[in-house]
Amino acid sequence: MFSKVLIANRGEIASRVIRTCQKLGIKTVAVYSEADADSLHVKLAGEAYLIGKPRVNESYLNMEKIIEVAKQTNAEAIHPGYGLLSENPDFARLCQKEGIVFIGPDADVIAQMGSKIESRKAMAEAGVPVVPGISFPLSNVEEAAKTAEKIGYPIMLKASAGGGGIGMQVVHSEEELQKTFEGNQKRAATFFGDGTMYMEKYIENPRHIEIQILADQHGNCLYLWERECSIQRRHQKVVEEAPSSFLDDETRKKMGETAVKAAKHIHYTNAGTIEFLVDENKKFYFLEMNTRLQVEHPVTEEITGLDLVEEQLRIAAGEVLRYSQTDIKKDGHAIEARIYAEDPKTFLPSPGTITFFETPNGENVRNETAVMSGSSVTPFYDPMIAKLIVKGQNRQKAIESMLQALENYKVEGIKTNIPLLKEVFSHPEYLAGNTTTDFINKYLAKANIKR
Ligand code: MV4
């Protein structure tokens, strides 16, 4: 095992990784920007180094600077957390070149899964169901129109380098395609530096269900069940739960085994997530693979009893997975709510100083946060300030605990989405498990006005 690890991240996830390192007796090195000098991850780490100005381009995304700190402090490995450099193949490659272990998969696998077209190709090859569509770039609108005719409208136009819904559009007719193709191509080129477009059949009212996998460097791979992440707004997840109330055990097992087949085919290592779209008939289709630890990993930890960061560290250090598939338990129901510093009416970020902060406690309540009374929320970073995770014997009990915990959650000085969360967890359609990806728009759009 490593004796010292650098955490190339900030906020709650940096604190989360430090906590597991401490549990395992691993020394920790934090890096921070000028805006984060008083942050919790800086206090918790064994050592902490200022790496630059508040803007991520001048600090948390400065690969050379982070590598330099790792070398100076003799850190043997870097945990990238999520976001920032976590899915940057250049950073993974640079670590490797400099003799530092990147805690994640191989750089080439990150690059392969970072391209939607390449990942679709690999998955189809592996025998994993992908959404009907094409796995080659569309060179122009004429080719797009011909392809759409074959697939059948409605189709979804997507950017191969895409993320966050940018360059992505549902198209219902050839006329609409003629109007929108080039605009999406341009947006993709601007945002991602790559205007490569492809298309898929549009799946209506899907659910977003993802499978957590763990793969060691010795060919062993496990699935850790699923998370349902359908409650989201503008591609920003708001609520995640495990298990999904929509899946039956047969589909669950099939999806898990499919995810393992996918991971083995690409020689995946470390923790990863295979995202699927699941239609009304429970047919599932590969959507994307995330090659990092995810924000919502705690719900999986709660039902399996595993520490995913510990497993990541062990895998990266070359250990063999200590479990077989039948050892992976699935106990109870866990729900995560993301607490955002945002105006619940306009959904705009609400930066400022948190004058009072108190999280709910209780046996079934877990808080992941790096803010406290007196912390400031700056506009430089993601507005997610905390995650509230609850566990219950079943979904209903977990929802009850969640509502109670939200009632006891105190944040003053800035606005948060807590009022929205309360509405989600008291909504009859949520209670009934009708959690499709349009939930917030469909059921809470009107409520937004008065909130
Ligand atoms: C889709 C889809 C329907 N059909 N693809 C949204 C994020 C991007 N990475 C993929 N997304 C979607 N792809 C086809 N062929 C619907 C979505 C989608 C969605 C997916 C997961 C979670 C929330 C979503 C919200 C809107 C649209």
Side-chain angles (χ1 to χ4, degrees):
M1 182 48 81
F2 310 114
S3 62
K4 196 189 264 190
V5 168
L6 182 146
I7 298 95
N9 215 301
R10 61 177 303 284
E12 68 85 19
I13 195 61
S15 302
R16 165 73 191 85
V17 173
I18 292 169
R19 200 167 72 226
T20 290
C21 287
Q22 286 170 344
K23 180 180 89 176
L24 299 177
I26 299 169
K27 295 189 203 79
T28 54
V29 181
V31 291
Y32 64 98
S33 75
E34 285 172 6
D36 278 339
D38 297 324
S39 293
L40 195 60
H41 77 283
V42 174
K43 296 186 177 82
L44 293 175
E47 307 165 63
Y49 297 88
L50 177 67
I51 53 166
K53 297 199 179 303
R55 294 189 332 175
V56 289
N57 281 329
E58 298 178 81
S59 51
Y60 297 106
L61 293 181
N62 186 341
M63 303 190 232
E64 291 75 20
K65 184 78 195 171
I66 292 167
I67 297 278
E68 186 189 308
V69 174
K71 286 187 147 180
Q72 277 170 3
T73 57
N74 293 316
E76 303 140 275
I78 297 183
H79 194 300
Y82 53 68
L84 298 174
L85 294 170
S86 63
E87 293 179 290
N88 185 324
D90 297 336
F91 184 63
R93 218 166 269 132
L94 187 61
C95 288
Q96 193 181 11
K97 192 179 126 219
E98 300 290 341
I100 297 163
V101 175
F102 174 82
I103 300 172
D106 190 78
D108 294 335
V109 176
I110 298 176
Q112 185 185 24
M113 294 298 108
S115 155
K116 303 278 159 64
I117 289 182
E118 290 307 316
S119 67
R120 270 179 66 87
K121 265 192 214 157
M123 292 305 145
E125 237 176 61
V128 172
V130 298
V131 186
I134 56 164
S135 302
F136 56 85
L138 292 165
S139 18
N140 52 47
V141 66
E142 288 77 31
E143 191 180 5
K146 264 191 224 149
T147 308
E149 210 56 55
K150 274 191 215 137
I151 297 172
Y153 290 98
I155 58 97
M156 201 159 200
L157 192 58
K158 294 188 174 187
S160 184
I166 295 160
M168 191 179 89
Q169 191 168 337
V170 189
V171 181
H172 299 87
S173 66
E174 176 164 350
E175 195 193 352
E176 202 182 343
L177 185 65
Q178 295 283 357
K179 271 191 214 147
T180 59
F181 182 79
E182 280 171 17
N184 280 296
Q185 199 171 35
K186 278 204 191 97
R187 267 191 293 283
T190 306
F191 272 91
F192 311 117
D194 175 359
T196 307
M197 304 298 291
Y198 71 108
M199 68 171 67
E200 294 174 351
K201 179 80 192 160
Y202 177 58
I203 310 290
E204 308 216 28
N205 298 328
R207 280 159 205 264
H208 172 132
I209 300 178
E210 56 187 34
I211 308 291
Q212 175 71 54
I213 62 114
L214 285 177
D216 68 19
Q217 300 181 47
H218 310 277
N220 304 300
C221 184
L222 302 170
Y223 61 90
L224 274 58
W225 315 112
E226 77 281 6
R227 296 184 288 261
E228 173 155 356
C229 313
S230 303
I231 308 282
Q232 53 84 48
R233 192 187 158 272
R234 297 209 181 162
H235 308 297
Q236 197 176 47
K237 292 170 184 168
V238 179
V239 173
E240 300 100 341
E241 51 188 297
S244 162
S245 57
F246 186 64
L247 295 188
D248 54 75
D249 279 342
E250 193 192 326
T251 311
R252 173 171 289 123
K253 183 161 184 254
K254 219 165 92 190
M255 287 178 76
E257 287 171 353
T258 302
V260 167
K261 185 164 75 174
K264 285 192 168 170
H265 183 79
I266 59 172
H267 302 290
Y268 194 86
T269 53
N270 217 288
T273 299
I274 319 258
E275 296 185 355
F276 292 99
L277 284 183
V278 184
D279 73 12
E280 287 133 326
N281 306 314
K282 291 188 188 151
K283 271 197 79 163
F284 60 88
Y285 306 94
F286 170 81
L287 189 61
E288 289 170 26
M289 180 164 195
N290 299 316
T291 57
R292 59 168 192 276
L293 181 71
Q294 290 196 255
V295 176
E296 60 271 28
H297 75 275
V299 293
T300 298
E301 294 183 324
E302 292 303 317
I303 66 160
T304 61
L306 296 183
D307 176 337
L308 289 182
V309 176
E310 175 176 351
E311 299 308 324
Q312 285 193 293
L313 289 160
R314 288 183 182 278
I315 289 166
E319 291 186 20
V320 175
L321 280 169
R322 297 163 299 162
Y323 316 95
S324 61
Q325 192 59 54
T326 48
D327 296 330
I328 305 302
K329 62 177 184 151
K330 178 167 71 64
D331 172 39
H333 196 97
I335 307 179
E336 173 178 279
R338 299 191 188 189
I339 315 286
Y340 288 105
E342 68 183 18
D343 187 319
K345 284 198 194 88
T346 61
F347 293 105
L348 290 172
S350 173
T353 299
I354 300 175
T355 52
F356 186 74
F357 187 77
E358 194 175 84
T359 53
N361 38 44
E363 221 191 307
N364 305 320
V365 179
R366 168 172 167 188
N367 289 287
E368 293 291 347
T369 181
V371 303
M372 52 208 145
S373 298
S375 292
S376 52
V377 179
T378 69
F380 301 111
Y381 312 117
D382 190 281
M384 191 187 80
I385 55 165
K387 307 187 301 205
L388 169 61
I389 303 107
V390 298
K391 188 181 178 188
Q393 282 167 355
N394 55 44
R395 187 168 186 265
Q396 195 190 325
K397 288 201 165 127
I399 295 170
E400 284 163 18
S401 299
M402 178 59 87
L403 278 168
Q404 185 62 56
L406 287 169
E407 230 22 82
N408 296 333
Y409 214 108
K410 300 281 183 291
V411 188
E412 288 168 24
I414 57 158
K415 291 175 181 161
T416 74
N417 64 332
I418 290 174
L420 174 92
L421 290 169
K422 286 179 180 167
E423 286 182 57
V424 171
F425 293 114
S426 357
H427 201 286
E429 296 291 344
Y430 179 81
L431 303 186
N434 293 329
T435 50
T436 47
T437 49
D438 57 353
F439 183 90
I440 291 184
N441 277 338
K442 191 167 167 189
Y443 300 119
L444 301 176
K446 279 206 194 87
N448 287 347
I449 298 158
K450 66 171 159 48
R451 205 176 294 117

